[in-house]
Amino acid sequence: TARVVRDTARGTVTSGAGGSQTVLVMLQVRRGPTVRASPDAVTFTMYRTGPVPASQVVRLTNDGQGTLTGLDTVPGLPSWLTASFDPRTAPEALTLQVDSAGLAAGSYTASVIVRSDAARWDTVNVRFAVRGGPSLVVSSDSVRFRADSGGAVPHAVELLAANTGPGELRGW
């Protein structure tokens, strides 16, 4: 017979060979190491023409018993996402960084799986929102001037320019 009480299994074994004897058997069940990532989801947002967002740090802890060893991330992340262990605090910190090079405006997602050779794995979900940047629109796509050599200077033509996108136009 057996019953489980607080991670401990207790039971008896009865042998019937040459008489019977009852022996109390205790088996303590412990959870092995378990990788726990906190937070388990991060979001990055940027404008295409803006600066790259700051990296974000995910704390990795052992949510079980025993020792976490051999921490790593599963290969196959998209090109816009890098995941690395902070060399000063590894393996307790996972640094995530995004880069919008080559990406159109839109929403991108990925999962970073943190694995260990001695533990259950955990996943960090990453969302990256790339927003369109400022957009310069001019009231005309061409202007034509006509003047005779030695003649009067042509009249000025007024063009209107506007930003039709989010963010601020700079340097023009």
Side-chain angles (χ1 to χ4, degrees):
T1 61
R3 63 188 174 98
V4 176
V5 179
R6 290 189 189 176
D7 296 334
T8 301
R10 297 172 189 238
T12 58
V13 175
T14 305
S15 170
S20 70
Q21 183 177 5
T22 301
V23 179
L24 175 63
V25 176
M26 268 180 53
L27 171 65
Q28 189 168 21
V29 179
R30 294 184 176 207
R31 281 183 16 186
T34 302
V35 177
R36 180 68 58 221
S38 179
D40 62 0
V42 295
T43 299
F44 295 91
T45 302
M46 71 171 289
Y47 290 106
R48 282 191 35 77
T49 57
V52 173
S55 60
Q56 294 190 40
V57 175
V58 174
R59 297 284 169 218
L60 302 175
T61 58
N62 183 356
D63 197 33
Q65 297 173 340
T67 304
L68 281 176
T69 59
L71 285 174
D72 194 6
T73 57
V74 173
L77 293 177
S79 61
W80 54 264
L81 176 62
T82 57
S84 59
F85 289 104
D86 184 330
R88 292 169 288 149
T89 59
E92 292 86 17
L94 175 68
T95 302
L96 300 173
Q97 182 63 57
V98 294
D99 183 0
S100 67
L103 296 179
S107 184
Y108 300 86
T109 59
S111 294
V112 178
I113 300 172
V114 181
R115 64 183 175 182
S116 167
D117 57 7
R120 292 187 187 127
W121 303 359
D122 201 4
T123 301
V124 179
N125 294 309
V126 179
R127 182 176 178 272
F128 185 23
V130 179
R131 296 191 175 142
S135 178
L136 178 63
V137 175
V138 182
S139 60
S140 177
D141 61 356
S142 67
V143 177
R144 181 181 291 190
F145 293 96
R146 182 174 177 164
D148 292 324
S149 177
V153 174
H155 294 296
V157 175
E158 185 175 296
L159 297 174
L160 301 176
N163 176 11
T164 60
E168 180 181 327
L169 283 171
R170 296 182 184 174
W172 64 286

